[in-house]
Amino acid sequence: MTSTDNGFSATRRLILKGTATVALIGLGNLPFGLMPAHAAANDKWPEDAFKQKSEADAIKALYGKTAEPSDKVKLDAPEIAENGAVVPISVTTTLDGVTSISFLVADNPNALAASYNIPPGTMPSVANRLKMAKTSNVTAIVEAGGKLYSATKEVKVTVGGCGG
């Protein structure tokens, strides 16, 4: 049988066309026009902070102040990462007024691994997969109410991810 003889193939094509049409119509309802305005509202890219070699220098370049450890910042990271190229990490917090969350890896060539601006009304929770050169402390920095809070955990890396 050819595909023109089979009613199933014609039905399948019709369903696929309908699904694609619905998906494209749905894209028209997304607020794409808001993205440039939102991006412009954020501070400029913290290029200097991402170039820093030490955690302290990266925190100073990014925030201009130091962080205090807090049990209200929950850092979830593995104790042992078998592959340093993809180390899953997440942070959540119960602090109010969170404006940013950043991840730092002390012994990486550049300490600041990721930094996120948290829009008002957003749940302060971020997850990522970091690249780690070797066993190191991972620190999550949460900016809330104009202050910095942190949580730190050592992650043992068995195979390095930064060329190791």
Side-chain angles (χ1 to χ4, degrees), residues 74-121:
K74 184 178 182 267
L75 175 62
D76 187 25
E79 288 189 27
I80 298 175
E82 293 192 17
N83 183 353
V86 287
V87 180
I89 186 168
S90 66
V91 66
T92 57
T93 182
T94 57
L95 293 165
D96 291 327
V98 174
T99 55
S100 72
I101 296 176
S102 299
F103 294 120
L104 296 102
V105 182
D107 292 332
N108 266 7
N110 295 60
L112 183 59
S115 185
Y116 301 90
N117 289 327
I118 308 297

Side-chain angles (χ1 to χ4, degrees), residues 1-156:
M1 270 203 222
T2 65
S3 63
T4 55
D5 295 334
N6 185 347
F8 176 73
S9 293
T11 304
R12 181 172 169 223
R13 273 192 299 271
L14 182 63
I15 290 171
L16 288 173
K17 284 181 184 177
T19 303
T21 301
V22 169
L24 289 174
I25 289 170
L27 285 175
N29 293 327
L30 293 177
F32 288 116
L34 295 179
M35 282 197 240
H38 176 68
N42 291 333
D43 293 338
K44 68 176 205 155
W45 175 256
E47 185 175 349
D48 188 47
F50 277 100
K51 291 180 178 179
Q52 300 303 314
K53 304 299 180 196
S54 76
E55 272 190 2
D57 290 342
I59 293 169
K60 184 178 178 185
L62 189 60
Y63 297 108
K65 50 192 162 193
T66 58
E68 63 183 64
S70 174
D71 59 352
K72 292 185 178 186
V73 177
K74 184 178 182 267
L75 175 62
D76 187 25
E79 288 189 27
I80 298 175
E82 293 192 17
N83 183 353
V86 287
V87 180
I89 186 168
S90 66
V91 66
T92 57
T93 182
T94 57
L95 293 165
D96 291 327
V98 174
T99 55
S100 72
I101 296 176
S102 299
F103 294 120
L104 296 102
V105 182
D107 292 332
N108 266 7
N110 295 60
L112 183 59
S115 185
Y116 301 90
N117 289 327
I118 308 297
T122 305
M123 182 185 303
S125 175
V126 176
N128 201 336
R129 294 188 183 272
L130 302 182
K131 188 178 267 194
M132 294 180 63
K134 58 185 176 180
T135 298
S136 178
N137 281 338
V138 174
T139 302
I141 303 288
V142 174
E143 183 179 29
K147 292 185 176 181
L148 297 182
Y149 303 92
S150 68
T152 302
K153 182 173 183 180
E154 182 184 54
V155 177
K156 294 178 181 146

